[in-house]
Amino acid sequence: SSKPGDVILDPFFGTGTTGALAGTDGTLDDVTSLSQYSNEKVGEGQKAVTILGADVKASKDGDIALKSVKVSFDDSGVTGGAATRLNRYLNKVSVYLGDAKVGSADVSEFTESGSTWSKVISLSGDTAVKSGQTSKLYVKVDSATTIDSNDLVDTWKVELANIRYVDGAGVYSTDSTTGDLDSHGTQVLINYVSYATASNTKLTVTTASDSPAKNIVPV
């Protein structure tokens, strides 16, 4: 019975407002995986590494606000003596809408089911997608400080399992079939590698125009 502008209490997400959302019948119109993310490298000790991206489009019937995304990691590609526990590779998973971080979860909060580790990550802040418009959603990770040598150069899969959103009338919907959400369409391969491999680290030494006289220079 809520109306646009009402403050609503959702048993899962807590207090929120629909006041900023135009229209009353907004839906998730399309989710399109960003093709530039396909076989990503995650190096030990790296932070905010983008591993997945998608265009999220709202229908022309009204605005929507994203409330959560379910992120899933699949270790079925693990071979040899590599670990099958997500916390051996990652510390944190974050969700960004454009340049803004809108949600995160520690890997310790993820739940294991078979070969899949998943978590519904709640979103907050400005998560509105305007009617007929498209916003870019990214999944980024902070890797473990060190990754065992047996676990390096290993392949996992990551994907968006579903997106939960609210429209201007305060109606919540959970979508797992629109666009590339269906049939693992957002799935991306990720490889865990050493920091040096991921960053292609090089040491470069140059002289400045005002270099001092020959001496030992602390670096």
Side-chain angles (χ1 to χ4, degrees):
S1 62
S2 60
K3 303 180 295 299
D6 286 350
V7 174
I8 55 177
L9 184 63
D10 183 279
F12 188 82
F13 295 106
T15 302
T17 179
T18 62
L21 301 179
T24 58
D25 300 298
T27 59
L28 189 59
D29 185 64
D30 196 15
V31 177
T32 306
S33 182
L34 298 179
S35 60
Q36 61 263 46
Y37 303 103
S38 60
N39 196 355
E40 303 306 305
K41 288 183 174 64
V42 178
E44 54 189 350
Q46 291 189 311
K47 295 184 180 297
V49 181
T50 304
I51 56 172
L52 183 156
D55 281 333
V56 178
K57 183 179 181 181
S59 71
K60 295 182 179 179
D61 303 309
D63 301 345
I64 60 174
L66 308 186
K67 302 304 293 182
S68 76
V69 295
K70 184 176 183 179
V71 181
S72 295
F73 292 84
D74 182 359
D75 66 9
S76 60
V78 170
T79 58
T84 58
R85 299 190 65 81
L86 190 60
N87 62 3
R88 295 288 296 272
Y89 302 90
L90 302 177
N91 289 333
K92 179 177 289 187
V93 179
S94 300
V95 179
Y96 284 69
L97 200 61
D99 296 328
K101 182 178 178 180
V102 293
S104 66
D106 291 335
V107 165
S108 60
E109 301 175 54
F110 278 66
T111 301
E112 180 186 16
S113 178
S115 64
T116 302
W117 294 81
S118 60
K119 176 74 171 72
V120 175
I121 300 177
S122 299
L123 309 182
S124 60
D126 184 4
T127 62
V129 182
K130 297 299 183 181
S131 173
Q133 301 298 309
T134 300
S135 295
K136 293 188 182 299
L137 185 149
Y138 301 99
V139 175
K140 302 187 181 188
V141 296
D142 293 355
S143 65
T145 303
T146 58
I147 301 176
D148 190 272
S149 58
N150 289 331
D151 303 332
L152 293 176
V153 197
D154 204 4
T155 302
W156 284 52
K157 302 169 186 174
V158 60
E159 68 178 313
L160 298 176
N162 63 49
I163 296 176
R164 184 169 169 84
Y165 63 92
V166 61
D167 66 12
V171 176
Y172 284 80
S173 303
T174 301
D175 193 325
S176 59
T177 60
T178 293
D180 286 339
L181 288 176
D182 193 26
S183 302
H184 309 293
T186 63
Q187 194 174 80
V188 173
L189 295 178
I190 53 176
N191 299 289
Y192 299 104
V193 298
S194 68
Y195 177 84
T197 299
S199 60
N200 193 25
T201 304
K202 296 179 180 179
L203 174 63
T204 302
V205 180
T206 61
T207 58
S209 60
D210 58 347
S211 291
K214 185 187 301 182
N215 204 341
I216 295 175
V217 180
V219 177

